[in-house]
Amino acid sequence: MTARPFVLASASPARLRLLRDAGLDPRVVVSGFDEDSLAISDPRELVERLAVAKAETVAAGVDGALVLGCDSLLVHDGQVLGKAPTPEDVVRRWRRLRGSEGLLLTGHCLIDTVSGQQVTAVGETTVHFGTPDDDEIAAYARTEEALAVAGPFTIDGRAAAFVDGIDGDAGNVIGVSLPLLRELLAKLGVGVTDLWS
């Protein structure tokens, strides 16, 4: 049986790496959707709508494929944090994050372009931040990673040393919850093993 074409509507190298490590080999089509165009105050609704918008944008241009759109945000002290716009903002955020915890939300939207069916879900993982000193934070703020990820932090990159632990799915923090993806695929009648390459 030939695997269904699978498309990842994301430029995130971490998402792609995670999916490939799980036996999936999606084609990447970046949506180009303007994330700042949605003004939604509820963070769960916002992250879900962003994932839907990215998936729908890409699905409109592909045929016969399953399209996965994702978006991640960090909720910390009631504030929603996506990507930091500047290195100075990275420093300000990390000074607030250190020694505290936040909730990482990742919206998932899976679209079957054959049937037109669409399913969505939001994964949640609690992140316990460590206590990097000012020099470490400044060094991190100078990296490309710091401006490319929500929060800004990673658990699979340079900032991993600054995270003391998590409660929940690690993949969700990296950018795709594989158990959640499996559930969404099942709702569309597709087994995750059917997509193994």
Side-chain angles (χ1 to χ4, degrees), residues 32-160:
F33 181 78
D34 179 8
E35 297 180 14
D36 295 328
S37 66
L38 293 182
I40 299 171
S41 59
D42 178 77
R44 284 169 187 79
E45 183 183 352
L46 174 60
V47 80
E48 185 174 42
R49 286 300 312 153
L50 285 167
V52 168
K54 292 175 180 183
E56 287 179 344
T57 300
V58 170
V62 298
D63 293 318
L66 295 163
V67 177
L68 175 65
C70 295
D71 195 81
S72 297
L73 297 171
L74 177 70
V75 180
H76 181 261
D77 284 342
Q79 185 178 8
V80 176
L81 302 174
K83 295 174 185 173
T86 66
E88 294 76 22
D89 197 49
V90 171
V91 170
R92 281 191 292 275
R93 288 184 187 192
W94 260 104
R95 285 181 175 163
R96 289 196 324 262
L97 292 175
R98 62 182 166 194
S100 67
E101 67 179 42
L103 186 65
L104 194 287
L105 304 174
T106 297
H108 299 66
C109 177
L110 188 65
I111 298 174
D112 184 339
T113 63
V114 174
S115 68
Q117 287 181 281
Q118 179 183 113
V119 288
T120 64
V122 176
E124 300 183 8
T125 305
T126 300
V127 181
H128 304 279
F129 294 102
T131 54
D133 62 32
D134 286 348
D135 289 340
E136 290 171 319
I137 291 171
Y140 182 64
R142 292 191 295 270
T143 67
E144 286 183 29
E145 176 184 291
L147 298 179
V149 295
F153 76 97
T154 59
I155 60 167
D156 63 333
R158 293 177 188 266

